[in-house]
Amino acid sequence: WAFATLGVPAPQLFDAIARASKKRIGNLKPQGLANIAWAFATLNTPAPQLFKGIARESKKRIGRFKSQDLANTAWAFATLGVPAPQLFDAIARASKKRIGNLKPQGLANIAWAFATLNTPAPQLFKGIARESKKRIGRFK
């Protein structure tokens, strides 16, 4: 997370993180899954096998994801162009339930991620539109 936040590329470190994370993916908490995906995407570092594992584990535990974790995960997969239809179905369902808890940036990131990966989610988009209209003054 720190390297990505500062924009410091560290390919060897991220390779090691990907290998270690694949082995421990089942032990990571939802925020850890989201943060790893976010960090790899922020530094534009593809890790296909890691993202497969993140998608699988995230889908299983989507009910425990906080709103920010949902937004960050969707954003990361879309940023790296990693399609994950089953994960995105789960994110759509979970996001609809938590739509009122998403910050404006989260609403925008989720909408962008679904559009970027050409993943239709009409009910989610209706909810995002409704919630965005209510909070239009809070968008930057």
Side-chain angles (χ1 to χ4, degrees), residues 51-69:
F51 271 69
K52 270 187 192 176
I54 290 173
R56 184 184 62 249
E57 289 300 320
S58 296
K59 182 181 163 263
K60 281 192 229 174
R61 294 188 254 153
I62 204 76
R64 297 192 327 217
F65 273 57
K66 293 180 180 174
S67 300
Q68 185 70 44
D69 301 332

Side-chain angles (χ1 to χ4, degrees), residues 1 10 15 19 42 46 53 68 76 78 83 86 91 115 119 138:
W1 179 88
D15 285 345
R19 284 192 306 276
T42 297
Q68 185 70 44
Q86 293 180 343
I91 289 173
T119 306
R138 295 189 210 163

Side-chain angles (χ1 to χ4, degrees), residues 7-32:
V8 178
Q12 292 176 335
L13 173 61
F14 273 70
D15 285 345
I17 290 170
R19 284 192 306 276
S21 296
K22 282 190 312 192
K23 295 174 185 173
R24 297 184 182 111
I25 202 106
N27 298 324
L28 293 171
K29 294 180 180 177
Q31 184 178 2

Side-chain angles (χ1 to χ4, degrees), residues 42-108:
T42 297
L43 290 176
N44 194 28
T45 305
Q49 292 306 311
L50 174 61
F51 271 69
K52 270 187 192 176
I54 290 173
R56 184 184 62 249
E57 289 300 320
S58 296
K59 182 181 163 263
K60 281 192 229 174
R61 294 188 254 153
I62 204 76
R64 297 192 327 217
F65 273 57
K66 293 180 180 174
S67 300
Q68 185 70 44
D69 301 332
L70 295 169
N72 287 351
T73 301
W75 178 87
F77 275 75
T79 296
L80 288 177
V82 179
Q86 293 180 343
L87 172 61
F88 270 65
D89 286 346
I91 289 173
R93 285 191 305 277
S95 296
K96 282 190 306 189
K97 291 177 185 174
R98 295 184 186 90
I99 203 95
N101 296 327
L102 284 159
K103 294 179 181 178
Q105 186 68 48
L107 292 167

